[in-house]
């Protein structure tokens, strides 16, 4: 599944949990600004270059995020690209792992926007299903027990897709999903003669999905038990086998009052397997 | 081969044909996020359900590209509640059925369907039970 060379490069980053990146000592405002997926035309708030010298945090603290008053929203990347700016670098601020009590040495898959799912899954599946590693490496027999997929901004959907694919291939995985904001610092440089530089702090939504062969705490918010196929067939009895439409919701009375201990919730979701012919 | 066919009904979970029809069950506190409606309007709707509607929890759903927006709405709700709200996210895979028809009516082709998978997220936004 990898490209020709034996080393995977490019957008994919595979780090173990042991790797710790130093915190850049940046002053971060409370994450009130948001980067919406809005069409560039609708974001008419930002006009011209309101950010001058470099290294100036380009966000303004707004007390009430719901006020319709114009906010100093960080300019969408498209607008900056049109203004003759080129992105120089983009660093993510490292925030602590959202999963409490996570064992170190768990595989962390950082999904970026340009990552190829094929590459990501090839690597992750090999690790989870226990490939034979070279001698001298300390790897637990039978592959890893846990893997974390994390992504932010435009990579969120891809992150979820990777997790879903892994859940389907490696059955009976417990899932824990965490959402939070991540602050991304971008440095844009002008391509025209004027060497002006802009530093933009963007808060983007980010997701972290922990998949584990070992049972997790069901009381934790965001926990999702593994789907059991046997109970699934009972549910599907009423549905004609010709249609392959998946149930987005469980067919029975939907017990959404408490996610945590109710296994029926997940049965309807994530169904994309063919009924036995 | 693909050039013959166009998407007759792209991205709809329910299509005209009855075999594929599925109604989305919807409780009062379900909010389905889409990319057409204004972001602020959807956010205000969620806000209204939580505060005015007296629901202790709402469920925000998003499919495909709307996943990002759903997460944004949920995080915004949490931020504006000063930490009183908690989030619980579940993910799932949804099957979508596309109906394809031959572009040129004279072409000898029959309408066929194609299924594909898409990711969906369901975020429960709730006031935790006092313990």
């Amino acid at each position: 599944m990898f490209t020709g060379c034996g080393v995977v490069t490019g957008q994919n980053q595979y780090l173990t949990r042991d790797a710790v990146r130093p915190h850049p000592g940046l002053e971060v405002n409370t994450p009130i600004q948001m980067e919406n997926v809005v069409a560039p035309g609708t974001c008419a708030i930002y006009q011209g270059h309101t950010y001058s010298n470099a290294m100036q945090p380009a966000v303004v603290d707004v007390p009430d995020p719901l006020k319709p008053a114009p906010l100093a929203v960080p300019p969408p990347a498209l607008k900056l690209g049109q203004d003759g700016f080129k992105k120089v670098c983009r660093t993510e601020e490292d925030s602590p792992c959202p999963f409490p009590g996570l064992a170190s040495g768990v595989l962390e898959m950082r999904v970026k926007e340009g990552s190829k799912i094929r590459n990501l899954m090839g690597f992750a599946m090999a690790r989870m299903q226990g490939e034979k590693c070279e001698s001298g490496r300390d790897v637990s027999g039978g592959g890893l027990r846990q893997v974390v997929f994390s992504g932010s901004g435009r990579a969120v959907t891809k992150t979820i897709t990777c997790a879903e694919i892994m859940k389907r291939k490696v059955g009976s995985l417990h899932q824990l999903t965490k959402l939070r904001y991540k602050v991304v610092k971008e440095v844009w440089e002008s391509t025209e003669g004027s060497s002006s530089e802009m530093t933009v702090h963007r808060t983007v939504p980010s997701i972290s999905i922990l998949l584990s062969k070992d049972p997790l705490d069901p009381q934790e918010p965001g926990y999702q038990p593994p789907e059991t196929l046997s109970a699934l067939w009972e549910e599907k009895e009423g549905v004609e086998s010709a249609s392959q439409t998946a149930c987005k919701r469980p067919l029975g009375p939907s017990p959404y009052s408490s996610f945590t201990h109710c296994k029926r919730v997940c049965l309807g979701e994530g169904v994309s397997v063919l009924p036995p012919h | 081969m693909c050039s013959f066919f166009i998407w007759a009904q792209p991205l709809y979970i329910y299509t005209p044909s009855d075999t594929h029809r599925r109604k989305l069950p919807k409780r009062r506190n379900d909010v389905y996020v889409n990319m057409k409606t204004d972001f602020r309007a959807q956010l205000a709707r969620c806000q209204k359900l939580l505060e005015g509607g007296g629901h202790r929890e709402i469920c925000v759903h998003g499919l495909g590209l709307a996943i990002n927006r759903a997460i944004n709405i949920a995080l915004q709700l949490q931020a504006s509640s000063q930490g009183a709200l908690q989030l619980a996210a579940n993910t799932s895979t949804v099957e979508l059925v596309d109906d394809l028809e031959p572009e040129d009516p004279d072409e000898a082709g029959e309408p066929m369907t194609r299924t594909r998978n898409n990711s969906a997220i369901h975020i429960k936004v709730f006031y935790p039970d006092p313990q």
Side-chain angles (χ1 to χ4, degrees):
Chain A
M1 290 196 184
F2 290 116
T3 53
C5 54
V7 176
V8 179
T9 55
Q11 295 278 18
N12 306 340
Q13 286 185 29
Y14 311 128
L15 297 176
T16 60
R17 283 293 309 150
D18 296 319
V20 175
R21 294 206 333 234
H23 282 251
L26 286 169
E27 183 190 348
V28 174
N29 293 327
T30 52
I32 295 187
Q33 281 73 23
M34 53 200 178
E35 174 169 312
N36 303 332
V37 185
V38 290
T42 61
C43 190
I45 300 162
Y46 169 71
Q47 294 287 342
H49 305 305
T50 55
Y51 317 97
S52 49
N53 297 327
M55 308 324 281
Q56 280 283 345
V59 293
V60 172
D61 204 349
V62 178
D64 184 2
L66 293 183
K67 248 165 81 174
L71 314 168
V73 179
L78 200 61
K79 182 99 177 43
L80 280 174
Q82 287 166 356
D83 285 341
F85 272 80
K86 202 163 66 152
K87 197 188 308 196
V88 170
C89 77
R90 171 183 177 268
T91 49
E92 272 186 17
E93 304 223 345
D94 219 4
S95 37
C97 179
F99 300 112
L102 190 64
S104 65
V106 96
L107 175 63
E108 179 178 359
M109 305 286 295
R110 302 230 177 131
V111 182
K112 304 285 228 24
E113 187 187 352
S115 308
K116 299 284 183 267
I117 295 189
R118 211 178 310 157
N119 294 343
L120 291 168
M121 294 320 296
F123 186 83
M125 295 302 292
R127 291 295 215 105
M128 280 296 268
Q129 286 171 343
E131 57 173 9
K132 295 279 185 272
C133 269
E134 310 96 40
S135 60
R137 284 290 209 103
D138 184 18
V139 172
S140 57
L144 294 175
R145 310 287 306 171
Q146 302 184 326
V147 63
V148 174
F149 286 96
S150 62
S152 59
R154 297 203 201 124
V156 161
T157 314
K158 200 168 273 194
T159 311
I160 298 181
T161 303
C162 284
E164 290 290 316
I165 293 179
M166 167 153 287
K167 273 198 309 190
R168 197 185 312 165
K169 295 220 174 131
V170 181
S172 64
L173 285 174
H174 299 256
Q175 179 180 342
L176 195 54
T177 315
K178 292 289 183 192
L179 304 171
R180 62 207 160 118
Y181 273 127
K182 241 190 178 152
V183 181
V184 166
K185 178 187 130 208
E186 293 172 1
V187 179
W188 290 73
E189 208 177 57
S190 171
T191 52
E192 305 147 5
S194 65
S195 60
S196 60
E197 218 182 54
M198 270 193 356
T199 305
V200 182
H201 284 246
R202 234 184 262 278
T203 50
V204 292
S206 106
I207 190 172
S208 297
I209 304 181
L210 167 68
L211 293 175
S212 153
K213 291 180 189 170
D214 306 318
L216 301 168
D217 176 19
Q219 302 306 318
E220 183 83 19
Y223 172 75
Q224 199 171 336
E227 300 152 29
T228 49
L229 288 184
S230 53
L232 178 66
W233 299 141
E234 290 157 25
E235 281 255 31
K236 282 281 231 181
E237 253 176 61
V239 182
E240 53 189 53
S241 56
S243 73
Q244 292 181 17
T245 51
C247 321
K248 198 172 174 197
R249 310 283 290 276
L251 295 177
S254 57
Y256 270 77
S257 50
S258 59
F259 255 68
T260 50
H261 61 263
C262 204
K263 278 188 97 170
R264 278 173 68 89
V265 168
C266 290
L267 289 180
E269 304 173 55
V271 172
S272 45
V273 289
L274 296 177
H277 290 280
Chain B
M1 182 76 174
C2 294
S3 57
F4 293 142
F5 296 95
I6 56 168
W7 267 255
Q9 285 284 338
L11 294 186
Y12 287 120
I13 295 184
Y14 22 1
T15 67
S17 67
D18 281 331
T19 43
H20 301 308
R21 177 173 291 276
R22 266 208 58 82
K23 294 192 77 66
L24 298 173
K26 191 172 172 179
R27 306 159 296 167
R28 287 240 154 235
N29 54 347
D30 272 342
V31 177
Y32 288 90
V33 175
N34 62 16
M35 300 303 288
K36 292 184 192 165
T37 316
D38 188 38
F39 177 85
R40 296 218 176 107
Q42 300 186 55
L43 184 59
R45 198 163 118 225
C46 295
Q47 205 85 25
K48 207 159 58 160
L49 278 177
L50 272 177
E51 291 165 9
H55 295 104
R56 283 199 67 84
E57 61 168 39
I58 61 169
C59 201
V60 182
H61 306 266
L63 178 69
L65 197 53
I67 287 179
N68 256 12
R69 195 171 267 204
I71 295 181
N72 238 337
I73 285 186
L75 286 170
Q76 285 288 304
L77 287 172
Q78 189 181 38
S80 62
S81 78
Q82 282 103 22
L85 286 169
Q86 271 190 18
L87 304 180
N90 275 24
T91 60
S92 65
T93 307
V94 176
E95 251 188 28
L96 301 176
V97 181
D98 293 328
D99 287 332
L100 307 177
E101 281 173 13
E103 206 168 31
D104 192 351
D106 302 331
E107 283 287 345
E110 78 229 22
M112 52 182 227
T113 63
R114 170 187 307 174
T115 55
R116 53 196 168 90
N117 288 333
N118 228 335
S119 299
I121 196 168
H122 317 273
I123 310 172
K124 207 162 67 117
V125 186
F126 59 101
Y127 291 106
D129 296 326
Q131 280 187 4

